[in-house]
Amino acid sequence: MKLTANEFKASFQQFVEVIENEKDYLCELDRKLGDGDHGVTMSIGWQAVNEKLNNELADETDCGKISSTIAMTFLNAVGSSVGPLYATGFLRGSKAVAQKSELTDEDLTNFWIAFINGVKERGQSKVGDKTMIDTLEPALLALEANFAETQDFVTSFEKAVEAGEEGMKSTIDMVSKLGRSSRLGERSKGAQDPGATSAYLLLDTFHTCVKQHQS
Amino acid sequence: MKKLINDPKYVVEEMLDGYVKAHPTYIRRLPENDRALVTARKTVEGKVGVLIGGGSGHEPAFMGYVGDGMADGVAVGNIFASPPPAPILEVTKAIDKGAGVVYLYGNYAGDVMNFGMAAELAEMEGIRVEMALTTDDVASAPKEEKQKRRGIAGELFVYKMAGAAADQGYNLEDVARVARKTNEVTRSMGVGLTPCSLPQTGEASFEIGDDEMEIGLGHHGEPGVRKAKVAPADQVADELLNTIFEDMPVEEGSEVAVLVNGLGSTPHMELYIMFRRVEQVLKEKGITIYRSYVGNYITSLEMGGCSITITKLDDELKKMIDHPVDCPMFVQK
């Protein structure tokens, strides 16, 4: 397949909308585990990104530039812990798609592999810690395995989204080990991790958009 | 929840606007970044820069502690969220007087990442940076995992001692050493009575019954380690102090600094009732209170409750805590 720079941008614009719709839900999840602001934080960051996509990046066709601008815009608008995590993901991803105005199956796969590895490296957390890594790590493994077999991004990413969803749901029964919610101990059980949830939404939205452009 | 605000989106910007306009002789905003504030006073060439920072919503922390004898600059984040690297870097560049800059912040995942990234960027510009993290909250992790603990009200003492050390001409390594030493001998333990609410959501940050309290509560409104029925102040003070002393024994004959810190909506009446008991207990143990602080120093918007902080003092730290301070929200003569 070929995904154009405009279609690449459109998928993130779609994510801006998803975050606005799910903002309250994400805050609600966060209230059970932290300070209740994850939806607000994501909204602040993605609104700033939206602003860039609609203005400075409106005519930009270099996917690397688009991704690195998303990284720095999100980081500067948000700070927090999601700022550096997502920013590192988009910065690493930008290297995989640098100076490309059209993305092949391989480019897209490399983008997401670099993205997830970047987040993992910055956050230093592992599966079972009840963080966004519980969504991203299984998604990464599914993407790598399926792409090696099929060389098809869309079907491989579909598997990644499914694995990510399972990972997200697995956080419900986990005890937090990192971040603010770790102080809750056993009391953190029963609530789905908000970071794992928004990470799943990002993957799911990207998949939905790419699928649309493919057909 | 009712609040005196305009658009929730702009609470931090409008607060900073008001702050710099109210205290123009103390503070100025850097033109390079809206969230980067530095002292308006003349700083001495060759003095180590002291940079603090963290999320908004903890006022007077952190912006209120920029001034003589404390911090030279502050990077301001969104509500309860670490500032990004950009304002941290701008403050660093502005306050470096050739002797380097020390970053003081609480041990929160976001702060560790953002201050770490800023330090790397500063070093690329040739500025030496040392970092000292605060981990005084006993309730935030067990003793075996002390490195995971977060900073709460004890941060005040870390700023106080490091700010004094910088003012007294200590070099970068020694300012950082004093900050780390202060953190080593500081423990805090809090209790939450009522939640706060974020301006953007208006929702209570946690649920708590009218007759309940959260022991060990963090200052972002995170639930505590244990819910309990509300008890008389003396009993609550005893539990907080016992937890602190189990974690960090203080020998008879020691001298300490004490902070009873309000979280935002607890009146001074209650804070002094708590302090009264702290003084009784320390006296019984043969511990001398060298200096005491009671009030709202590091808050969580309008959260109810307080924390108790104990810092063990030696001769060097006594010299630091006695050092005068002149900040918009904290003066000590």
Side-chain angles (χ1 to χ4, degrees), chain B residues 267-282:
Chain B
H268 279 73
M269 175 186 277
E270 294 169 35
L271 300 179
Y272 281 110
I273 291 172
M274 290 291 285
F275 182 82
R276 170 185 172 274
R277 180 61 184 170
V278 173
E279 195 276 336
Q280 282 174 358
V281 172
L282 293 183

Side-chain angles (χ1 to χ4, degrees), chain A residues 27 31-32 34-37 40 44 75-81 84-85 88 122-123 177 179-180 182-184 187, chain B residues 78-82 84 86 110 113-114 117 137 148 150 198 200-201 203-204 214 216-218 220 222-226:
Chain A
C27 285
R31 256 194 293 283
K32 296 189 180 112
D35 52 13
D37 69 348
V40 171
I44 291 172
L75 178 62
N76 284 322
V78 160
S80 184
S81 52
L85 290 169
T88 307
R122 178 67 64 193
K177 295 197 185 66
R180 289 173 191 167
S182 60
R183 63 185 303 136
L184 287 172
R187 284 166 74 188
Chain B
N78 289 327
I79 295 172
F80 296 169
S82 168
M113 286 188 268
N114 286 286
M117 287 169 91
D137 184 10
K148 279 190 176 178
R150 280 171 281 280
L198 297 179
Q200 294 97 332
T201 63
E203 301 276 346
E214 289 270 5
L217 196 120
H220 297 102
E222 302 97 324
V225 285
R226 155 176 115 73

Side-chain angles (χ1 to χ4, degrees), chain B:
Chain B
M1 213 79 79
K2 285 178 274 193
K3 287 181 196 286
L4 280 174
I5 58 171
N6 298 306
D7 187 335
K9 262 193 216 151
Y10 303 118
V11 286
V12 177
E13 261 57 47
E14 292 184 359
M15 167 183 77
L16 294 178
D17 272 348
Y19 183 60
V20 293
K21 280 168 188 153
H23 308 289
T25 57
Y26 280 95
I27 198 109
R28 66 190 176 89
R29 216 169 175 177
L30 292 177
E32 292 83 3
N33 193 302
D34 276 356
R35 302 288 185 91
L37 270 52
V38 300
T39 179
R41 308 281 174 80
K42 251 203 151 58
T43 41
V44 189
E45 272 316 304
K47 182 185 108 64
V48 170
V50 176
L51 187 155
I52 58 173
S56 295
H58 300 302
E59 295 70 34
F62 303 96
M63 63 182 194
Y65 300 134
V66 173
D68 296 345
M70 288 283 268
D72 301 293
V74 59
V76 181
N78 289 327
I79 295 172
F80 296 169
S82 168
I88 303 172
L89 181 64
E90 293 305 337
V91 171
T92 308
K93 290 197 280 191
I95 67 174
D96 176 42
K97 300 289 163 196
V101 176
V102 60
Y103 291 0
L104 307 175
Y105 54 93
N107 186 27
Y108 293 84
D111 290 308
V112 171
M113 286 188 268
N114 286 286
F115 281 87
M117 287 169 91
E120 276 179 41
L121 295 169
E123 273 153 20
M124 280 161 67
E125 304 220 10
I127 302 173
R128 286 194 304 143
V129 171
E130 281 279 343
M131 294 185 270
L133 276 71
T134 318
T135 56
D136 58 308
D137 184 10
V138 177
S140 56
K143 203 169 186 176
E144 315 73 74
E145 296 176 286
K146 231 175 90 198
Q147 75 287 351
K148 279 190 176 178
R149 285 183 180 170
R150 280 171 281 280
I152 51 172
E155 283 180 32
L156 178 81
F157 289 145
V158 176
Y159 302 163
K160 176 81 191 67
M161 310 301 195
D167 224 22
Q168 292 175 14
Y170 279 46
N171 67 21
L172 182 63
E173 287 71 27
D174 277 332
V175 173
R177 177 185 59 78
V178 166
R180 291 184 194 122
K181 176 162 101 175
T182 307
N183 180 58
E184 254 335 281
V185 293
T186 298
R187 297 288 187 285
S188 301
M189 182 75 190
V191 59
L193 301 178
T194 54
C196 60
S197 72
L198 297 179
Q200 294 97 332
T201 63
E203 301 276 346
S205 57
F206 58 94
E207 278 164 31
I208 188 161
D210 279 347
D211 58 344
E212 290 175 326
M213 60 183 179
E214 289 270 5
I215 300 280
L217 196 120
H219 73 183
H220 297 102
E222 302 97 324
V225 285
R226 155 176 115 73
K227 252 191 182 36
K229 289 277 172 225
V230 172
D234 286 1
Q235 211 175 304
V236 177
D238 286 357
E239 175 162 2
L240 299 183
L241 281 173
N242 283 339
T243 315
I244 289 173
F245 290 135
E246 265 166 38
D247 201 79
M248 179 184 73
V250 180
E251 306 74 39
E252 197 180 334
S254 304
E255 291 176 290
V256 297
V258 174
L259 165 64
V260 174
N261 175 57
L263 294 171
S265 72
T266 297
H268 279 73
M269 175 186 277
E270 294 169 35
L271 300 179
Y272 281 110
I273 291 172
M274 290 291 285
F275 182 82
R276 170 185 172 274
R277 180 61 184 170
V278 173
E279 195 276 336
Q280 282 174 358
V281 172
L282 293 183
K283 196 175 209 173
E284 280 164 24
K285 286 181 180 289
I287 300 166
T288 307
I289 300 180
Y290 184 76
R291 264 187 191 272
S292 47
Y293 301 82
V294 179
N296 295 321
Y297 286 92
I298 298 188
T299 64
S300 302
L301 296 171
E302 74 279 22
M303 206 163 105
C306 73
S307 60
I308 297 172
T309 301
I310 304 282
T311 296
K312 282 201 275 191
L313 300 174
D314 60 11
D315 287 343
E316 184 180 46
L317 294 184
K318 271 161 59 179
K319 208 171 82 188
M320 298 306 158
I321 205 158
D322 283 340
H323 193 81
V325 167
D326 186 16
C327 295
M329 299 202 210
F330 179 38
V331 176
Q332 178 179 306
K333 291 194 170 146

